[in-house]
Amino acid sequence: MFALMKQAVIDLGTNTFHLMVVEKAADGTQTTLFRESRPAKIGKAGINQGVITEEGIGRALGVLGYFREQLDRLDVPAEQVVAIGTSAIRVARNQAEFIDRVREATGIRIQVISGDQEADYIYYGVKASGALKNPDDTCLIVDIGGGSVEFIISARDRMLWKQSFEIGGQRLMERFMPDPKQAISAGAVRRLRDYFQEQLLPLVNALHQYSPRSGAPLRLVGSSGSFDTLVDMWYMHSQGVWPPADQAAFDLPLDEFYRSFEQLMTRDHEERMQLPGMIELRVDMIVVAVCLIDYLIRTFGIQQITTSIYSLKEGVLANMQSMRD
């Protein structure tokens, strides 16, 4: 008989909290016992001011109270629960108060990580999905969160460069799309593109340095979040079904991205909700996310998009396993 160990990761994102519980055997096999994402929106109305509002704390405690119930139900040992705080918590002036209130209410201890650490975990999560199928390809890995966006350049089966930028979806919405019930304006899209050009100069310089050899195309690898929804929209449009639940990586055709992009640019909240494959969790933030993806495609001549449903959580679990080994 193999000994079984239960491990859990909580990803406290700026917009969404995620819980994943797995059971691992001594031979390395892993079974997912529980996986759920719930909106907490701790960045709402405070992200650009560097504070988690009282309303945001209340929403967080509600979601984490539910997660606590699931951890207790599954008998996950406290020492095998890792709770990761990212952008909104990282920059909040009331970070210590937030962490204390979560611990007092739920017993969950939050570990706040740097943008560099976040990029590391994302890379190992994406790698585990199989999205980096040809290790010799030069890939630009992108994780669009609510507070930050992580960019990683990889090739030859390793990270060549990484950087976290505080330009996540919630920040962009509050700055360029203050009324998400309405369709985004053409002027806001132009201002967004100018903002990306200004903010992402370090990425431009890095890609010049690590550009693919022999004129090979640069592959964009999108991690989780809005990329998952784009794949859902593609499958629902083309086949009328959700993507296969047992598949972790997908090649998203460029023309399918632009079909969704054109729809998202011209519809308001209610109309976006009617699009096949859309979910409430992403219906507003996906607008600014696809503006960023479009900017990357145009600026860097992207010809291929691969998506990974794995991200930070899976990277943390891979790290926990390697430490145990």
Side-chain angles (χ1 to χ4, degrees):
M1 289 290 289
F2 290 119
L4 298 175
M5 172 178 285
K6 292 176 181 175
Q7 296 178 318
V9 177
I10 301 172
D11 173 2
L12 294 92
T14 297
N15 188 49
T16 310
F17 286 2
H18 312 268
L19 170 62
M20 184 175 182
V21 182
V22 301
E23 190 170 60
K24 292 186 175 180
D27 64 351
T29 57
Q30 176 177 299
T31 304
T32 300
L33 302 180
F34 186 86
R35 186 186 189 115
E36 189 167 342
S37 301
R38 290 202 166 194
K41 299 184 179 179
I42 59 170
K44 187 176 181 182
I47 187 79
N48 289 327
Q49 290 74 45
V51 68
I52 302 172
T53 65
E54 190 60 33
E55 293 77 14
I57 293 174
R59 287 190 294 270
L61 293 177
V63 174
L64 292 173
Y66 168 73
F67 284 177
R68 174 79 268 168
E69 292 171 4
Q70 306 313 309
L71 293 168
D72 292 344
R73 178 178 64 82
L74 293 165
D75 293 322
V76 183
E79 67 274 13
Q80 294 299 329
V81 177
V82 176
I84 301 291
T86 56
S87 176
I89 304 173
R90 187 158 62 228
V91 304
R93 295 192 303 275
N94 58 339
Q95 176 192 119
E97 178 199 350
F98 177 79
I99 290 172
D100 288 346
R101 288 177 64 177
V102 167
R103 188 180 67 250
E104 288 166 8
T106 67
I108 293 169
R109 296 177 179 273
I110 299 171
Q111 172 191 345
V112 182
I113 61 172
S114 68
D116 267 6
Q117 288 173 295
E118 191 170 353
D120 285 344
Y121 285 137
I122 289 163
Y123 171 74
Y124 289 111
V126 168
K127 191 174 180 182
S129 76
L132 308 180
K133 5 179 196 196
N134 182 351
D136 290 327
D137 281 355
T138 301
C139 296
L140 174 60
I141 302 169
V142 184
D143 186 289
I144 305 172
S148 62
V149 179
E150 281 66 48
F151 292 97
I152 301 142
I153 301 172
S154 77
R156 298 178 291 284
D157 212 25
R158 62 191 179 95
M159 277 187 283
L160 303 178
W161 178 91
K162 62 186 175 183
Q163 189 166 332
S164 178
F165 294 79
E166 298 293 343
I167 58 167
Q170 186 65 39
R171 296 181 192 277
L172 297 176
M173 279 175 57
E174 293 190 8
R175 188 183 292 239
F176 298 99
M177 195 180 164
D179 184 3
K181 296 294 181 187
Q182 303 300 317
I184 192 169
S185 70
V189 173
R190 285 194 299 272
R191 291 193 299 276
L192 258 173
R193 287 175 179 156
D194 290 344
Y195 183 69
F196 294 144
Q197 188 170 9
E198 170 192 305
Q199 294 292 314
L200 295 178
L201 191 57
L203 175 63
V204 174
N205 293 337
L207 280 169
H208 280 312
Q209 182 177 352
Y210 297 108
S211 58
R213 296 174 180 175
S214 309
L218 175 69
R219 180 185 295 274
L220 177 67
V221 179
S223 165
S224 192
S226 293
F227 289 99
D228 288 348
T229 298
L230 289 167
V231 171
D232 291 346
M233 292 173 70
W234 166 36
Y235 266 77
M236 290 300 288
H237 166 72
S238 62
Q239 301 179 38
V241 297
W242 295 99
D246 59 351
Q247 190 171 332
F250 298 84
D251 289 325
L252 175 66
L254 216 54
D255 59 351
E256 273 300 321
F257 167 76
Y258 275 109
R259 184 190 64 80
S260 296
F261 176 78
E262 295 301 332
Q263 291 180 323
L264 294 166
M265 288 297 99
T266 55
R267 286 166 165 74
D268 63 21
H269 174 96
E270 294 302 325
E271 292 165 335
R272 292 192 298 271
M273 271 308 302
Q274 300 308 310
L275 294 170
M278 183 56 67
I279 57 171
E280 180 72 36
L281 195 63
R282 309 244 192 267
V283 65
D284 296 328
M285 205 169 288
I286 195 171
V287 177
V288 291
V290 296
C291 287
L292 174 55
I293 298 166
D294 170 63
Y295 173 82
L296 297 171
I297 291 170
R298 292 171 183 270
T299 303
F300 303 120
I302 302 289
Q303 297 175 34
Q304 300 169 304
I305 302 177
T306 299
T307 71
S308 162
I309 66 169
Y310 290 1
S311 185
L312 184 141
K313 299 185 300 302
E314 291 79 10
V316 173
L317 281 167
N319 188 63
M320 290 170 72
Q321 180 67 21
S322 66
M323 287 175 67
R324 185 182 167 214
D325 295 344

